[in-house]
Amino acid sequence: MGIFSRSINILIFPKKEWIKIAAENRSLTELILFYIIPLALIGAAASFIGYGYIGVDTGILDIRLKGTDWGLTRALNYFISIILSVVFSAYIIDACAVFTGAEKNIYRTAQLLAYSMTAFMIGELFYIIPQAGFMGILVGSYGIYLLYRGVDLLKKTSGRNSMIFIMMALFVFVVIYGLTNFVVGYMIAEIFGFGRFGEYGRFGF
């Protein structure tokens, strides 16, 4: 199934789409190459345009903060962080699955995490207008519902165990993404030499 159809269906018809996903046998590598990376590239492009060319209105003397270095920093940081976070989180979540009563199966864990991340990655599109970024957070939170709809089917859980698994998975991903985002951002700043946030670009009027 194409990435466009899969992303739309998982967002609109999650129950039916999870059934289709459960019948598939895609590895973590396949999910990263053919699903996570394409969606991450779209979000990264939105961030580059938003922070590089549209900028953030400070509300002071018509000053708008923007700059291609800031846009590049934001785009690269997001792109690399989301990929690494999905990989690391999938293995950690799967390793901890037995403590939540869920089935230990890295392929199913990878599917559950990758497709639940759809809302989060689609939400990154809002950063094409940086000050609308809060909408991206709201859209991304829909991923919790996607996780809820798929966990029983893919991880063989039910009831209380499902909620324990969901909380554990969310905690792991949030921590891993936060750490990865910080470390990758620091490394990018060091490599390109333009500060942790691209020195906020330059003033634009």
Side-chain angles (χ1 to χ4, degrees):
M1 178 175 288
I3 184 174
F4 180 77
S5 298
R6 173 53 49 84
S7 58
I8 294 297
N9 289 339
I10 194 67
L11 292 173
I12 301 176
F13 309 109
K15 184 176 181 179
K16 292 181 180 179
E17 201 62 20
W18 279 125
I19 293 175
K20 294 179 183 179
I21 291 169
E24 298 172 357
N25 225 350
R26 302 187 74 179
S27 67
L28 177 57
T29 301
E30 289 177 305
L31 288 169
I32 294 296
L33 290 176
F34 304 114
Y35 194 75
I36 298 297
I37 286 180
L39 283 182
L41 280 172
I42 295 172
S47 288
F48 178 71
I49 294 170
Y51 289 92
Y53 296 98
I54 295 177
V56 177
D57 187 356
T58 64
I60 303 173
L61 299 176
D62 292 326
I63 294 175
R64 181 176 291 272
L65 299 178
K66 60 182 178 180
T68 52
D69 54 355
W70 193 18
L72 182 62
T73 300
R74 183 66 170 70
L76 285 175
N77 196 355
Y78 165 74
F79 179 72
I80 297 172
S81 295
I82 196 68
I83 294 172
L84 292 179
S85 296
V86 170
V87 174
F88 293 151
S89 296
Y91 279 102
I92 295 173
I93 291 170
D94 193 65
C96 296
V98 293
F99 301 112
T100 67
E103 178 184 60
K104 189 177 185 300
N105 184 322
I106 186 59
Y107 300 112
R108 294 305 182 197
T109 301
Q111 286 178 312
L112 183 64
L113 181 60
Y115 292 124
S116 294
M117 290 297 300
T118 301
F120 181 82
M121 291 186 287
I122 293 296
E124 188 71 12
L125 287 173
F126 283 96
Y127 284 93
I128 198 168
I129 302 176
Q131 287 173 308
F134 70 95
M135 289 297 297
I137 296 174
L138 292 178
V139 171
S141 65
Y142 181 64
I144 299 174
Y145 176 72
L146 297 181
L147 183 62
Y148 167 74
R149 296 299 303 187
V151 64
D152 289 355
L153 186 61
L154 270 66
K155 298 302 292 179
K156 311 301 181 186
T157 61
S158 61
R160 182 171 176 268
N161 284 342
S162 297
M163 301 314 301
I164 293 174
F165 181 91
I166 290 171
M167 289 188 289
M168 179 272 292
L170 288 173
F171 175 79
V172 169
F173 180 78
V174 169
V175 171
I176 293 297
Y177 184 73
L179 290 174
T180 304
N181 190 272
F182 179 81
V183 173
V184 170
Y186 179 81
M187 292 177 66
I188 290 173
E190 289 297 311
I191 292 172
F192 290 97
F194 44 57
R196 177 65 176 83
F197 296 102
E199 301 298 350
Y200 291 103
R202 52 185 173 274
F203 290 116
F205 297 89

